[in-house]
Amino acid sequence: MPQPETTRKRTRDPEAKRTAILDAARATFAELGYERATIREIAKRAGVANGLVTLYFSSKENLFIAAAAPQQIVQNVVGDLEGLPRRVASSFIQQMESGELAESFTALLRSSTSDRSVARELQRAMREQSITAYRQVSSDDDAEAKVEMIVAVLNGVALGRYVLADGLLAAMSPEEVIDRTTELLRTVVLG
Amino acid sequence: MPQPETTRKRTRDPEAKRTAILDAARATFAELGYERATIREIAKRAGVANGLVTLYFSSKENLFIAAAAPQQIVQNVVGDLEGLPRRVASSFIQQMESGELAESFTALLRSSTSDRSVARELQRAMREQSITAYRQVSSDDDAEAKVEMIVAVLNGVALGRYVLADGLLAAMSPEEVIDRTTELLRTVVLG
């Protein structure tokens, strides 16, 4: 019996394969950590050939960076400066709640205590994207330092709520976490 | 030749032995991670018998908590509420700069991605101490949530500056990090 049209289309679609590889990469890095995760294992979970992973992402390090970079957050930065803190906070927390970003974040933490260079590359990629996005919103001279402090706040909240996952920060509603994170980001962005 | 008086006194002093064990524990946990660190190795580095470590701290978990808990920070909380954000920020950053707390923090992160229960116990111990200290300064109803957000800010700054140790946050002077962290803590504490 031939496969239904939609399934055949899907598996032939390069964008769908790319997404499948990124999803498999996030799950594998989070489960095994950066060092133990292999391209072979990621390809197997994504249901694609090893060569395709290398064709799309060239190296495990690049794949890790692509899988972990929270690109939607950066896209959501664009808009008015006054509303920026809440846009960033809700975009970040919502993606963490869905589990999508939480896996990458745990993988980042795990790799940061073993192989620092990968965690640094990832942070560098995120930082550059964030600074570029921030500059579209504000002509602030202090943009780089502000982006650093925004990242520090988001990392600290994520560590408490999703990695240690204990205590009041883990018990709060997503809305309360967004409100409290927004307050902190307002201080960074608006002084 | 007999040892000089001061050295003999030191090694007989239970408080000095306790400190030596805690120092050795911090170094060992940071280097090997929680799981691979053993009481035997810590005792060896501290120059004491294994039994003494167990006598003082009863278990590896308790030793980890005692080694990692930043007690000086909690002590420094006491004073006027207005000055609290700067006292906490400078106490934390200064201890991180000296490397004393940075080792514990790296050990905490490493254990949080492998054995979460220890990291949770430690966070619980720190949280209880911090809330008790905070209540001496303020009768705020929201004390618990504020302590959580203070811990999140400190963790986020520490992750960027001392663990990833890259980018502008790592390049800033300690004074600038203290100033920027103080600003964030002021938002948490004073609204």
Side-chain angles (χ1 to χ4, degrees):
Chain A
M1 208 174 87
Q3 287 187 299
E5 182 67 11
T6 50
T7 312
R8 264 168 56 212
K9 249 189 187 157
R10 248 196 145 208
T11 52
R12 278 179 190 165
D13 175 1
E15 201 43 52
K17 282 185 183 165
R18 200 175 179 276
T19 305
I21 294 168
L22 288 174
D23 288 345
R26 276 184 207 106
T28 311
F29 286 130
E31 190 182 318
L32 303 178
Y34 179 77
E35 279 167 85
R36 284 168 57 218
T38 59
I39 287 196
R40 179 189 296 265
E41 175 64 24
I42 292 165
K44 195 178 132 197
R45 293 192 193 195
V48 303
N50 297 347
L52 195 72
V53 178
T54 317
L55 181 70
Y56 282 5
F57 297 98
S58 71
S59 68
K60 188 167 84 165
E61 184 165 335
N62 277 343
L63 176 56
F64 181 79
I65 293 168
Q71 302 189 337
Q72 280 176 266
I73 293 175
V74 173
Q75 284 159 15
N76 286 333
V77 166
V78 177
D80 65 308
L81 189 63
E82 178 68 25
L84 179 71
R86 183 163 296 274
R87 288 199 305 280
V88 170
S90 30
S91 169
F92 182 76
I93 301 298
Q94 276 162 14
Q95 280 185 69
M96 287 299 260
E97 295 293 316
S98 76
E100 203 181 315
L101 197 55
E103 284 178 5
S104 306
F105 186 78
T106 306
L108 169 69
L109 276 191
R110 184 170 293 147
S111 81
S112 72
T113 57
S114 52
D115 181 351
R116 238 174 252 201
S117 65
V118 180
R120 277 188 189 158
E121 271 315 310
L122 170 63
Q123 288 286 100
R124 223 168 265 167
M126 282 173 55
R127 187 183 294 131
E128 275 164 33
Q129 288 176 30
S130 307
I131 291 172
T132 306
Y134 193 88
R135 288 236 164 91
Q136 292 173 36
V137 179
S138 162
S139 57
D140 200 330
D141 280 347
D142 201 25
E144 284 190 41
K146 287 188 174 177
V147 167
E148 291 283 299
M149 297 311 289
I150 291 171
V151 170
V153 168
L154 298 178
N155 281 344
V157 170
L159 179 63
R161 183 167 171 93
Y162 306 101
V163 181
L164 299 172
D166 188 41
L168 195 54
L169 193 56
M172 284 174 193
S173 68
E175 292 68 33
E176 186 175 354
V177 180
I178 291 172
D179 285 348
R180 291 188 186 266
T181 306
T182 300
E183 265 182 71
L184 288 170
L185 299 187
R186 283 184 64 85
T187 302
V188 176
V189 171
L190 308 167
Chain B
M1 206 175 88
Q3 289 189 297
E5 183 65 11
T6 51
T7 313
R8 265 168 55 213
K9 248 189 188 157
R10 247 194 145 206
T11 52
R12 277 177 192 167
D13 175 1
E15 202 43 52
K17 283 185 181 164
R18 199 175 179 277
T19 305
I21 294 168
L22 288 174
D23 288 344
R26 277 183 207 108
T28 311
F29 286 129
E31 192 182 316
L32 304 178
Y34 179 78
E35 279 166 86
R36 283 166 58 218
T38 58
I39 287 195
R40 180 188 295 264
E41 175 63 24
I42 293 166
K44 196 179 132 199
R45 292 192 192 195
V48 303
N50 297 348
L52 195 71
V53 178
T54 318
L55 181 69
Y56 283 6
F57 297 98
S58 70
S59 68
K60 187 167 86 166
E61 184 165 335
N62 278 340
L63 175 56
F64 182 80
I65 293 167
Q71 301 190 337
Q72 279 176 266
I73 293 174
V74 172
Q75 283 160 16
N76 286 334
V77 166
V78 177
D80 65 309
L81 189 64
E82 178 68 24
L84 180 71
R86 182 162 297 274
R87 289 199 304 279
V88 170
S90 29
S91 170
F92 181 76
I93 300 298
Q94 276 162 15
Q95 281 184 70
M96 287 300 261
E97 295 293 316
S98 75
E100 204 179 314
L101 197 56
E103 284 177 5
S104 306
F105 186 77
T106 306
L108 169 69
L109 277 191
R110 185 170 292 148
S111 82
S112 72
T113 57
S114 53
D115 181 350
R116 237 176 254 202
S117 65
V118 180
R120 277 187 188 159
E121 271 314 311
L122 170 63
Q123 287 285 100
R124 222 168 265 167
M126 282 174 55
R127 185 184 293 131
E128 275 166 31
Q129 288 176 31
S130 307
I131 291 171
T132 306
Y134 194 88
R135 289 236 162 90
Q136 291 172 37
V137 180
S138 161
S139 57
D140 200 330
D141 280 348
D142 201 27
E144 284 191 42
K146 288 186 172 176
V147 166
E148 291 283 300
M149 297 312 289
I150 291 171
V151 170
V153 168
L154 298 178
N155 280 345
V157 170
L159 179 63
R161 184 169 171 92
Y162 306 102
V163 180
L164 299 172
D166 188 41
L168 195 55
L169 193 56
M172 285 176 192
S173 69
E175 293 68 34
E176 186 174 354
V177 180
I178 292 172
D179 285 348
R180 292 189 185 265
T181 306
T182 300
E183 266 182 69
L184 287 169
L185 299 187
R186 282 184 65 85
T187 303
V188 176
V189 171
L190 308 167

